[in-house]
Amino acid sequence: MAEIKERLLPPKPASAANLRELSYRPPISGRQPFQGIDVLGLKKRGQGLRSWIRVDTSGNSQVIEVDKFTMMRRCDLPARDLRLLDPLFVYPSTILGREKAIVVNLEQIRCIITADEVLLLNSLDSYVLQYVVELQRRLQAAGAGEVWQSEGELSRRRGGSRNIDNMFGTPSPDYLPFEFRALEVALESACTFLDSQAAELEIEAYPLLDELTSKISTLNLERVRRLKSRLVALTRRVQKVRDEIEQLMDDDGDMAEMYLTEKKSRMELSCYGDQSLLGYRSTDGALSLSAPVSPVSSPPESRRLEKSLSIARSRHESMRSSESGAETQSIEELEMLLEAYFVVIDSTLNKLTSLKEYIDDTEDFINIQLDNVRNQLIQFELLLTTATFVVAIFGVVAGIFGMNFEIPMFNEPNAFKWVLIITGVTGAVIFISFLWFFKHRRLMPL
């Protein structure tokens, strides 16, 4: 990992002069992406350069520094899409398909995927470095597979063995274009990161909840409260990734928009078709000028124009049919890719949902225990109140006999004893009557 950091994060950033050397190849239209932009001037005006990790289709990576406006022109993206990748702002997980790029913001993975390269924000995060390493490994493995496949084709054409024909005769059905491979690694990294966090939360949560059920204390309640807040935040993030994948799967137009390699191939094919059509017309005109005029052999001008239009129409129809077929195929490929990671992220969400239900059940159990203790305290208070009422009877009798007046009963030697006996029996009868009433009303289990 240290070697990867040294290779991807050099201590000295690239200068603005090297930026033009590391720029991308010009587009088909011939328009230079850096034309008219002074990087030094932008840096002086406060538009500083930002470090990006560039990974091409061969798996080669390099660190470049590009400013915001150059990146906007380079990938044909609006400013709001680049703002989603800004590490200074916190945005939910998003996958956006644009004309020439796919904007991916999945947890720590914030990148721009085009048909030729991946531009990833340079970061010291381990998951970002793992994403770069895994993407390079898969691209290099895919390149080696294509070499073996081409060798198998040559051996099959030269009359090779049947095993090589079966192994390399047909292209792999699992072939994915470059942008889908990069998107797959990003989805895998995000799903793995979220699943690992969910697993750590599960390992920490279940022993803590079991301890709380056995011993209810302020410290345990505070730990469970923090755990539940983390669980809610993680569930919200997992739910957002799941909703984003589900939204892409439900919209065929968005999935077709993300097929960048096919759109680039169609654009190149259309440009080649237009050039060939212009060459055919110029050749036809040159032949018509040099050939001798004959009313039998040379068709009139209207027939030549009609023939040219019919050729162009047939090419256009064939191009549209191939475009629709490729679009359907690309939608199926992307849909299967999204379905696989939708199942993974849905499994992670189910784990968090089960954990939340376990926490809710633990809270219900604790509330039941507290209610039970509260009921016991109420019952004890009721008994204590009844006993206080009985003892108050003795206070009333003592208050009556303590008045300053004389009666003949004070002269009797056994009068005090009989007063105590009668008062005690009366209090006991009253107390037993209260207990019977409480039992009859089911106010306490006696």
Side-chain angles (χ1 to χ4, degrees):
M1 189 65 68
E3 295 179 357
I4 298 172
K5 288 184 179 180
E6 291 178 359
R7 182 163 54 90
L8 296 180
L9 300 175
K12 294 183 179 181
S15 60
N18 296 330
L19 178 64
R20 300 173 184 255
E21 298 177 359
L22 297 175
S23 61
Y24 294 85
R25 60 179 66 91
I28 300 172
S29 59
R31 182 180 179 183
Q32 297 294 333
F34 300 111
Q35 185 176 1
I37 296 182
D38 187 6
V39 179
L40 294 176
L42 290 176
K43 190 170 183 179
K44 291 179 180 179
R45 291 193 295 268
Q47 304 293 338
L49 303 178
R50 179 166 292 174
S51 180
W52 297 78
I53 301 176
R54 176 183 178 269
V55 182
D56 58 9
T57 55
S58 302
N60 301 320
S61 65
Q62 59 180 346
V63 178
I64 61 174
E65 291 190 354
V66 184
D67 63 275
K68 178 179 179 181
F69 294 102
T70 305
M71 186 62 67
M72 289 168 56
R73 297 185 59 184
R74 181 175 197 157
C75 301
D76 196 12
L77 293 174
R80 63 177 180 272
D81 291 345
L82 289 181
R83 202 172 294 119
L84 295 174
L85 307 179
D86 198 336
L88 300 178
F89 300 97
V90 179
Y91 288 99
S93 298
T94 309
I95 302 176
L96 299 177
R98 294 296 184 245
E99 181 66 25
K100 297 181 181 180
I102 301 174
V103 181
V104 178
N105 179 16
L106 294 175
E107 297 301 320
Q108 285 82 4
I109 307 301
R110 301 184 178 188
C111 61
I112 300 173
I113 303 174
T114 64
D116 301 322
E117 60 198 359
V118 176
L119 296 171
L120 186 73
L121 275 177
N122 203 348
S123 174
L124 291 174
D125 194 275
S126 61
Y127 283 94
V128 176
L129 301 179
Q130 289 177 6
Y131 172 80
V132 175
V133 172
E134 180 65 19
L135 181 59
Q136 289 179 340
R137 186 186 66 81
R138 295 193 183 186
L139 291 176
Q140 292 172 0
E146 290 176 359
V147 171
W148 279 101
Q149 184 174 355
S150 62
E151 292 180 357
E153 287 288 339
L154 292 176
S155 61
R156 183 175 63 88
R157 291 176 181 177
R158 294 175 181 177
S161 63
R162 185 175 299 177
N163 295 329
I164 298 179
D165 187 12
N166 294 332
M167 291 174 61
F168 304 102
T170 56
S172 174
D174 297 332
Y175 171 76
L176 288 176
F178 171 75
E179 64 272 12
F180 287 174
R181 294 180 187 178
L183 180 62
E184 181 182 9
V185 178
L187 288 172
E188 182 179 350
S189 300
C191 293
T192 304
F193 174 72
L194 294 174
D195 189 71
S196 63
Q197 284 198 340
E200 292 177 0
L201 203 60
E202 281 183 335
I203 295 174
E204 182 181 356
Y206 287 112
L208 179 59
L209 294 174
D210 294 338
E211 182 182 357
L212 182 62
T213 54
S214 60
K215 181 182 178 181
I216 302 175
S217 62
T218 306
L219 179 61
N220 290 336
L221 289 174
E222 178 65 21
R223 292 170 63 187
V224 171
R225 185 191 66 81
R226 295 178 181 177
L227 179 69
K228 190 173 182 180
S229 63
R230 289 169 53 194
L231 174 64
V232 171
L234 182 59
T235 304
R236 190 181 298 113
R237 290 158 53 192
V238 173
Q239 183 69 42
K240 186 63 180 69
V241 175
R242 180 184 179 275
D243 293 342
E244 192 67 25
I245 297 177
E246 186 177 9
Q247 183 181 359
L248 281 176
M249 292 171 57
D250 293 338
D251 196 338
D252 294 343
D254 288 346
M255 287 193 292
E257 191 71 20
M258 297 171 66
Y259 205 77
L260 305 178
T261 303
E262 185 65 25
K263 289 194 294 184
K264 180 181 177 182
S265 301
R266 290 200 302 265
M267 186 181 299
E268 293 177 352
L269 184 61
S270 62
C271 294
Y272 177 75
D274 294 339
Q275 292 176 1
S276 62
L277 182 60
L278 292 176
Y280 171 77
R281 289 183 178 178
S282 62
T283 306
D284 191 8
L287 288 177
S288 63
L289 289 175
S290 61
V293 179
S294 175
V296 179
S297 60
S298 60
E301 187 68 25
S302 59
R303 293 184 61 184
R304 289 201 304 269
L305 181 59
E306 183 180 356
K307 185 177 180 180
S308 301
L309 291 177
S310 63
I311 293 174
R313 191 182 300 111
S314 63
R315 288 182 178 178
H316 182 67
E317 290 177 355
S318 63
M319 190 181 303
R320 288 185 59 184
S321 62
S322 62
E323 177 181 352
S324 60
E327 180 178 349
T328 305
Q329 183 181 2
S330 67
I331 289 175
E332 291 178 356
E333 291 175 353
L334 182 57
E335 189 172 6
M336 288 188 294
L337 174 64
L338 294 176
E339 281 179 357
Y341 290 98
F342 179 80
V343 172
V344 175
I345 200 68
D346 190 65
S347 175
T348 304
L349 184 61
N350 290 334
K351 289 182 183 179
L352 296 177
T353 304
S354 301
L355 182 58
K356 186 177 184 303
E357 291 177 355
Y358 191 81
I359 292 177
D360 293 338
D361 294 340
T362 305
E363 289 179 350
D364 294 338
F365 179 74
I366 292 173
N367 290 330
I368 291 173
Q369 284 186 336
L370 294 178
D371 291 339
N372 186 24
V373 173
R374 192 180 298 110
N375 292 334
Q376 292 177 358
L377 291 176
I378 292 174
Q379 292 173 6
F380 178 75
E381 184 181 1
L382 188 60
L383 291 175
L384 187 62
T385 304
T386 305
T388 304
F389 175 74
V390 172
V391 173
I393 296 176
F394 285 89
V396 172
V397 174
I400 291 175
F401 282 95
M403 293 182 180
N404 192 11
F405 62 90
E406 294 185 359
I407 56 176
M409 195 167 78
F410 290 164
N411 297 324
E412 295 290 333
N414 297 325
F416 181 72
K417 180 175 68 176
W418 284 105
V419 168
L420 291 178
I421 292 173
I422 293 172
T423 304
V425 170
T426 304
V429 170
I430 293 174
F431 186 76
I432 292 173
S433 300
F434 272 110
L435 292 181
W436 177 85
F437 177 76
F438 294 153
K439 183 179 181 180
H440 180 70
R441 292 290 183 178
R442 297 180 180 178
L443 295 179
M444 64 176 60
L446 295 174

